[in-house]
Amino acid sequence: MNRQNETILKVDDVYLSYGHVEALKGVSLEVKRGEIVVLVGANGAGKTSIMESILGVYQSRKGTVTFKDKNVTNLSADKIVRKGIYLVPEGRGVFASMTVIDNLLLGAHHNLKNAKAKLTYVYDLFPILSERRNQIAGTLSGGERQMLAIARALMSNPEMIMVDEPSIGLAPKIVSDIFKILKELNKEGYSILLSEQNVYKALKLSHRGYVLETGKVVLTGTSEELLINPEIRKAYLGA
Amino acid sequence: MEIFIAQIINGISLGSIYVLLVTGFNLLLLVAMIIHFSFPIVVVLSMYVSWIVLGLTGNNIFLGVIAGIVSAILINIITAPMFQHIMKKRGDVDINSTMVLSMGIGMIITDFLSHSVNSGFPIAFPDNLTGRNLGAFFQIGMISISRGDMISLSMGIVFVLGLFWILYKTRAGRAFRAIAEDPAGAKLVGIPILKTGLQSYAMTGVLGGVSAVSIAILLGSASPGLGDQLGHKVLAVSIIAGLGNLKGGLIIGILLGILEALVQGYWSGTWSNSIAFVVMLLAILIKPKGIFGIKL
Amino acid sequence: MSLPLYYFLAITAVYILMTWALYLPYRVAHLHFIVVANMAISGYFGGYAAINWNWPFLLILAVGLILGAVVAFIVSIAIGDAPTFAVVIVGFTFIYITKTVIENWEALGSTMGMFGIPMVNHVLLVAYLFVLVTGFFIYRFDNSRLGRAASAIFVNRELATSFGVNTKHLGMFLQTWAGAIGGATGVLYAFIMNSLFPDFFTFHIIGITMTMLFLGGYTTMWGPLLAAPVLWGLPLLLPQEVASWKMIIYGVLLIVILLVRPEGAITRQVAARVRSIVLRR
């Protein structure tokens, strides 16, 4: 069974606007099963907008999103989560007034059946969360919150995880830890769509990448190709 | 001293009613994001439904209580789509217009009650519901506690504890709290916002129904104007505590009950009711954002 | 002039003024029902002064206006910048306390009501002059720098503050102005009806004026001007059995307009279109 090259997510010519502001102007991209795909681009290029339109937070004006060969365009977010996509939002998006375990269980909100087993699984991956399970999430450090957000995503039984700007506001050492975790998760079979401003680290981690500018894909290729692309080096890698 | 103790106890049971109402009101505010000013008016309508059913069934307590609770749930569920329509249309919730909508609902209910039921005269609940004819539950000197006090107090405790258990120990409660903290974030983690909102309407309906029965037992009567007065006090309690602050609502609700009971115990007369209002007015004027902080 | 027509016109003026009094603070999202209490306080004061001290009508009108403004101003010091719901509950509480005081005050007729407020000439004329003057000033306000600042506050209080708008002062100004209108209207009402009842100044009048404001449209001053005669006149034309349900009719209309046309009948666009048509001719 060769599922390695099967396309799990396909975004086709998606347009999205907030009021009069056009955030996406015909974006197309795809993620294959078992891949890490990175979205690269400046603030406002449309990275978060792509993730939010995939998740169905905002209704796109035009275009289709296909997940596992099913059209999921403009389904509501809770339905898309059930289908197996989960977003780890920028700024972690943990509920600061609730306990760690409450936050984790929220990840499994749509399906609490195997919650116990899933909890054991994420505690195994993140022992620190097990220690702090009854602590209020607002008291966690930035790195711990990011771990909590990723762990919460795993609680939902996803097949694809979207991680929006995980490195923002974290110390370099912790960013490396987070990236290591993402790599491990990918090895376990999760497909990952990552958006990142730390272009060098992200391309090192990922298989392929898309470069976005003002709501459009301007360049795409394997990570190796992008890493040696002169324009990328000039714009993002400071070389 | 004995009057003082007796009135404190009366005040706590009166306060337990405010607590039930305020908690329902706050729940709708936090989860469904509406200021349901007329929620207590809906509760009074349920009291009337209960009264009618009692009359029709020859004072069958069981059916009367069930009718009160079921009608409160139904009214809440029926009015929910109107609020949700406003929410969807505006994108961002315009919380002021939900309050005006709620006032419209209140106008209709109050006027309906003053026109159609019992010719607008106050209604009295039968003794076998209120237990008035059975005398005091216990009595030591001047301190006498009626059965109505005991029942409404214990109902208040049981249901408020139950509510907090649901909020902190169940899946639905977790979703409620998540939406209350961050509606946008709750959407991202896959919580169905409208459906969860609807659950909160149903749960508030249960609280409303229980409050209806509790008020019927404690006061023994109702009038069309009762809803306005309660609505007024409940909004005031919620604001003084800090809008949406559940634990603050508990404290201020009980305090208001005690204040009213003490005032009635020492200065009886038509003025007594307005003392509570003066105190509430001062509290709001001094701290318009509440004592324990707004949780919205 | 026939008596029914006289009362229709006079009470219409009262409702236009009261709805404008609600409209002004609502420019900054304050639904300020204290104006109903102002109406009661100044109305009863006016009646008392006319009966017992033989004060002339116009003096009472002026003092009633100032009385309303002072009461609203004092309250506005605390809630000039408060959230909407706090303003609402302050208004309700004020009405309740005012009503309780009146009902327990023998000299004001307590629950029986106050009778024998003298008839004076030209009340109707004075009322409509007051409508004209008030309307003129509201028009000037709406088309001024302050009016635009108020609109900004309505949409987003924080943002307006960042533009350098003093939200508290503007809120206090509008609340005080509304209180003045409420007070003067109370005096007008007392001299139109020649009697006052505490039950009038309650949720009844709140419901009517609120429906007028939201049905007519709360974004321009023209909404109340149109809605007041229509909503007040309609039940007068209906048969008695239907008209006695008028609060329910108002409630249903209020809900329907919120669901179907949240900004009311006359929105800013409608007002602008009408203006352009009128100006072209």
Side-chain angles (χ1 to χ4, degrees):
Chain A
M1 190 167 68
N2 179 17
R3 300 175 68 186
Q4 201 57 42
N5 275 324
E6 175 196 355
T7 299
I8 187 166
L9 175 87
K10 192 169 163 62
V11 175
D12 193 22
D13 200 26
V14 162
Y15 285 77
L16 177 74
S17 37
Y18 309 109
H20 295 293
V21 185
E22 281 221 315
L24 301 178
K25 305 166 191 162
V27 170
S28 300
L29 58 86
E30 60 178 45
V31 178
K32 294 198 168 69
R33 197 176 279 278
E35 253 189 339
I36 302 183
V37 172
V38 65
L39 304 176
V40 174
N43 269 336
K47 301 184 303 272
T48 304
S49 301
I50 289 178
M51 293 186 167
E52 292 189 336
S53 63
I54 291 172
L55 197 70
V57 179
Y58 295 104
Q59 306 271 300
S60 53
R61 193 156 57 72
K62 201 182 144 205
T64 54
V65 179
T66 317
F67 183 65
K68 293 197 290 179
D69 297 328
K70 287 202 185 79
N71 186 348
V72 297
T73 318
N74 292 344
L75 284 184
S76 63
D78 56 297
K79 296 214 173 76
I80 292 193
V81 166
R82 282 166 187 273
K83 301 239 181 251
I85 304 180
Y86 209 89
L87 172 67
V88 179
E90 185 181 345
R92 340 306 175 214
V94 301
F95 294 93
S97 74
M98 299 169 74
T99 60
V100 168
I101 190 161
D102 271 342
N103 269 283
L104 290 173
L105 289 174
L106 275 175
H109 183 76
H110 58 286
N111 179 14
L112 277 175
K113 246 185 245 151
N114 301 316
K116 276 250 162 64
K118 278 183 267 176
L119 274 178
T120 326
Y121 168 64
V122 298
Y123 284 156
D124 226 37
L125 273 175
F126 305 100
I128 185 85
L129 295 183
S130 174
E131 275 169 44
R132 313 231 148 141
R133 66 180 85 182
N134 290 320
Q135 208 166 313
I136 300 292
T139 62
L140 298 182
S141 72
E144 287 164 350
R145 281 192 199 202
Q146 187 66 62
M147 287 181 203
L148 175 57
I150 293 173
R152 186 178 65 190
L154 297 177
M155 292 293 294
S156 79
N157 260 348
E159 291 183 53
M160 190 181 91
I161 306 175
M162 300 190 285
V163 190
D164 195 4
E165 305 269 3
S167 70
I168 273 192
L170 295 183
K173 159 89 178 64
I174 295 167
V175 173
S176 300
D177 288 348
I178 299 284
F179 274 44
K180 228 178 270 166
I181 291 164
L182 291 178
K183 184 150 206 163
E184 262 170 54
L185 290 176
N186 177 247
K187 274 187 194 144
E188 288 193 27
Y190 295 103
S191 313
I192 295 175
L193 180 63
L194 174 72
S195 105
E196 199 34 85
Q197 301 225 5
N198 192 335
V199 175
Y200 180 75
K201 266 191 173 162
L203 284 175
K204 279 283 184 198
L205 173 77
S206 60
H207 301 100
R208 287 190 305 117
Y210 291 86
V211 181
L212 292 165
E213 261 168 38
T214 59
K216 280 187 201 147
V217 174
V218 291
L219 194 64
T220 175
T222 65
S223 298
E224 289 81 14
E225 287 165 5
L226 293 177
L227 269 173
I228 55 168
N229 183 304
E231 278 169 51
I232 300 278
R233 294 181 68 88
K234 200 170 150 205
Y236 299 102
L237 303 176
Chain B
M1 189 62 200
E2 282 183 348
I3 295 180
F4 183 76
I5 293 172
Q7 289 309 101
I8 294 272
I9 296 171
N10 284 335
I12 293 174
S13 51
L14 183 60
S16 72
I17 286 175
Y18 295 143
V19 167
L20 277 175
L21 291 173
V22 161
T23 310
F25 173 86
N26 277 335
L27 202 64
L28 284 174
L29 185 65
L30 291 169
V31 184
M33 283 164 281
I34 60 171
I35 298 190
H36 202 346
F37 176 79
S38 300
F39 171 61
I41 299 184
V42 171
V43 170
V44 170
L45 178 59
S46 298
M47 291 175 71
Y48 271 76
V49 172
S50 174
W51 179 78
I52 291 170
V53 170
L54 283 168
L56 289 176
T57 59
N59 294 342
N60 184 321
I61 300 269
F62 178 74
L63 289 179
V65 168
I66 293 291
I69 294 176
V70 170
S71 64
I73 300 173
L74 282 182
I75 301 163
N76 254 11
I77 298 279
I78 291 168
T79 49
M82 291 195 275
F83 288 110
Q84 297 199 329
H85 177 87
I86 290 193
M87 285 170 62
K88 264 198 243 167
K89 197 160 191 170
R90 300 271 168 122
D92 289 302
V93 182
D94 183 344
I95 206 144
N96 292 342
S97 66
T98 64
M99 179 166 63
V100 177
L101 179 66
S102 173
M103 287 177 181
I105 294 173
M107 273 162 72
I108 295 175
I109 295 177
T110 304
D111 205 49
F112 170 74
L113 293 180
S114 53
H115 261 86
S116 321
V117 188
N118 208 19
S119 317
F121 293 112
I123 54 169
F125 287 90
D127 284 348
N128 64 342
L129 177 70
T130 59
R132 267 176 303 214
N133 52 338
L134 298 172
F137 181 73
F138 78 61
Q139 187 148 21
I140 308 167
M142 295 271 295
I143 304 171
S144 116
I145 298 168
S146 73
R147 268 157 219 277
D149 278 350
M150 273 325 282
I151 295 172
S152 63
L153 180 57
S154 32
M155 275 167 78
I157 292 172
V158 167
F159 278 91
V160 168
L161 283 181
L163 178 84
F164 275 82
W165 181 81
I166 289 176
L167 275 180
Y168 286 90
K169 294 288 172 201
T170 69
R171 170 173 177 268
R174 211 178 295 123
F176 288 170
R177 283 183 293 139
I179 294 178
E181 182 179 329
D182 177 6
K187 199 172 174 184
L188 289 184
V189 302
I191 294 170
I193 304 287
L194 286 183
K195 196 179 131 207
T196 311
L198 215 57
Q199 287 173 342
S200 76
Y201 285 98
M203 217 166 88
T204 326
V206 175
L207 278 179
V210 171
S211 321
V213 175
S214 202
I215 300 169
I217 293 173
L218 190 72
L219 301 183
S221 64
S223 63
L226 179 64
D228 277 331
Q229 266 205 40
L230 286 175
H232 196 131
K233 285 179 188 164
V234 164
L235 182 58
V237 166
S238 179
I239 290 173
I240 293 170
L243 216 59
N245 192 320
L246 290 167
K247 287 166 194 162
L250 285 182
I251 298 168
I252 302 293
I254 295 285
L255 284 181
L256 176 64
I258 293 176
L259 173 71
E260 287 190 339
L262 286 178
V263 168
Q264 270 161 17
Y266 290 97
W267 303 273
S268 58
T270 40
W271 289 90
S272 65
N273 212 358
S274 58
I275 291 178
F277 279 106
V278 172
V279 173
M280 289 192 299
L281 180 67
L282 290 178
I284 295 169
L285 287 179
I286 293 164
K287 267 187 121 50
K289 288 179 182 159
I291 295 171
F292 300 102
I294 293 177
K295 288 264 177 75
L296 206 60
Chain C
M1 193 188 293
S2 75
L3 208 58
L5 182 65
Y6 171 80
Y7 277 114
F8 169 72
L9 289 176
I11 301 299
T12 296
V14 166
Y15 279 128
I16 290 173
L17 289 168
M18 286 311 288
T19 312
W20 271 344
L22 274 190
Y23 164 80
L24 281 173
Y26 201 63
R27 292 298 313 275
V28 294
H30 282 166
L31 204 49
H32 202 23
F33 294 119
I34 198 175
V35 291
V36 175
N38 291 138
M39 190 183 174
I41 294 169
S42 295
Y44 268 95
F45 163 79
Y48 189 86
I51 296 169
N52 297 293
W53 304 331
N54 289 317
W55 282 19
F57 169 55
L58 288 177
L59 174 66
I60 293 176
L61 186 64
V63 175
L65 183 141
I66 293 165
L67 189 61
V70 168
V71 171
F73 173 76
I74 292 169
V75 173
S76 78
I77 294 170
I79 58 165
D81 201 19
T84 304
F85 36 82
V87 175
V88 168
I89 200 67
V90 166
F92 278 142
T93 315
F94 233 88
I95 294 171
Y96 196 87
I97 293 171
T98 308
K99 190 169 166 260
T100 313
V101 170
I102 293 170
E103 282 175 349
N104 287 282
W105 199 330
E106 283 296 323
L108 299 181
S110 55
T111 49
M112 298 299 291
M114 177 185 264
F115 295 93
I117 301 166
M119 305 272 254
V120 289
N121 294 327
H122 309 307
V123 176
L124 193 61
L125 185 69
V126 174
Y128 275 94
L129 279 176
F130 190 64
V131 169
L132 270 178
V133 171
T134 305
F136 171 74
F137 280 113
I138 295 178
Y139 183 83
R140 288 289 301 271
F141 170 80
D142 278 351
N143 292 291
S144 72
R145 192 175 56 83
L146 285 176
R148 283 188 291 277
S151 304
I153 294 176
F154 186 90
V155 176
N156 188 332
R157 198 168 282 269
E158 280 77 36
L159 200 65
T161 315
S162 73
F163 292 157
V165 175
N166 190 328
T167 54
K168 173 137 195 186
H169 285 177
L170 191 50
M172 287 173 68
F173 169 63
L174 289 172
Q175 289 182 9
T176 308
W177 188 1
I181 297 176
T185 311
V187 174
L188 289 171
Y189 179 79
F191 281 89
I192 290 166
M193 301 303 289
N194 307 112
S195 59
L196 293 170
F197 301 94
D199 270 347
F200 177 77
F201 302 99
T202 49
F203 296 93
H204 198 72
I205 187 169
I206 290 173
I208 294 176
T209 48
M210 199 167 65
T211 309
M212 287 170 179
L213 178 64
F214 284 91
L215 198 80
Y218 58 82
T219 55
T220 74
M221 64 179 286
W222 309 111
L225 194 63
L226 181 87
V230 172
L231 282 176
W232 166 241
L234 204 65
L236 297 179
L237 298 176
L238 294 172
Q240 183 59 35
E241 306 88 71
V242 185
S244 71
W245 296 92
K246 75 170 182 241
M247 288 311 285
I248 291 188
I249 299 172
Y250 288 153
V252 171
L253 286 174
L254 178 60
I255 290 173
V256 169
I257 200 83
L258 284 171
L259 296 180
V260 179
R261 203 177 157 90
E263 290 200 329
I266 300 187
T267 60
R268 290 216 168 107
Q269 287 91 321
V270 173
R273 208 176 308 146
V274 170
R275 185 176 306 157
S276 74
I277 292 169
V278 171
L279 289 183
R280 207 179 302 151
R281 285 185 189 163

